[in-house]
Amino acid sequence: MTATINSLPARIRRSARISGRFVLRSGMVSDTYFDKYQFESDPLLLLAIATEMARLIPAGTEVLAGLEMGGIPIATMLSQVTGLPAAFIRKEPKEYGTCRYAEGASLAGKRFVLIEDVVSSGGALSDSLAKLRADGLEPAGAICVIDRQTGGREALATHGLSLNALYTFDDIERA
């Protein structure tokens, strides 16, 4: 991948990459963190990301299912770019109202893809996959903005879920 100062990976790096000591969701410690809320809260950068991510959506997808919390703005913008409806997957079902963990467009009987921001161990996707499968729902795959290349893709493959990333950690670091 050839990156320029104004390439999308470089823009993501400038916006979201921070250095320090960080404990990731997986429990791993890293000296690099991608503050995804920085690129998700920038409307022009998020639009550019969604426009590029649209090519990763599997053919025949009917619904984009964003994981709480970082996958939701990406799924929403992808919905705008593609015209596909969006669903939002909570970490836990609501304790009031509908008491659902999946909101928005129905996933029942639909071909859907899971949307995530940054994947490290794949834990959030695995947790969501277990809930969905318990309800007889099977995603066509998962896509994310950044694969940190720390075992998430491989862990998800053991559960039969493919992961496609717009960029890898290395792509962003080289930008």
Side-chain angles (χ1 to χ4, degrees):
M1 156 177 261
T2 303
T4 65
I5 192 77
N6 292 317
S7 69
L8 187 52
R11 290 171 61 200
I12 293 170
R13 186 175 199 273
R14 281 194 308 272
S15 170
R17 185 189 184 281
I18 53 178
S19 297
R21 184 178 186 283
F22 306 95
V23 178
L24 306 178
R25 181 189 189 277
S26 63
M28 293 185 291
V29 176
S30 177
D31 62 357
T32 302
Y33 186 75
F34 292 102
D35 184 356
K36 63 230 177 191
Y37 301 114
Q38 297 306 307
F39 66 72
E40 292 174 348
S41 63
D42 178 328
L44 296 178
L45 184 51
L46 184 58
L47 176 59
I49 289 168
T51 299
E52 289 301 309
M53 280 187 78
R55 66 182 167 79
L56 300 179
I57 298 170
T61 296
E62 299 171 280
V63 179
L64 306 167
L67 271 61
E68 180 186 352
M69 179 165 140
I72 291 176
I74 296 165
T76 301
M77 187 62 81
L78 270 171
S79 178
Q80 287 291 305
V81 168
T82 64
L84 293 170
F88 312 110
I89 310 298
R90 295 175 183 276
K91 293 175 185 166
E92 297 296 328
K94 286 193 317 187
E95 293 184 11
Y96 57 91
T98 62
C99 300
R100 292 188 285 207
Y101 68 88
E103 302 285 353
S106 174
L107 301 176
K110 300 288 173 88
R111 181 170 166 83
F112 65 95
V113 64
L114 298 176
I115 311 292
E116 185 61 299
D117 47 20
V118 179
V119 173
S120 295
S121 68
L125 283 162
S126 293
D127 292 349
S128 293
L129 182 61
K131 284 186 202 118
L132 292 161
R133 285 182 172 164
D135 285 340
L137 301 169
E138 186 64 39
I143 63 176
C144 68
V145 179
I146 301 170
D147 176 357
R148 285 188 61 96
Q149 301 173 289
T150 52
R153 178 187 308 267
E154 296 79 8
L156 294 168
T158 68
H159 295 291
L161 184 68
S162 64
L163 175 69
N164 288 312
L166 184 59
Y167 299 114
T168 64
F169 178 88
D170 289 343
D171 294 333
I172 302 296
E173 286 297 283
R174 286 192 305 263

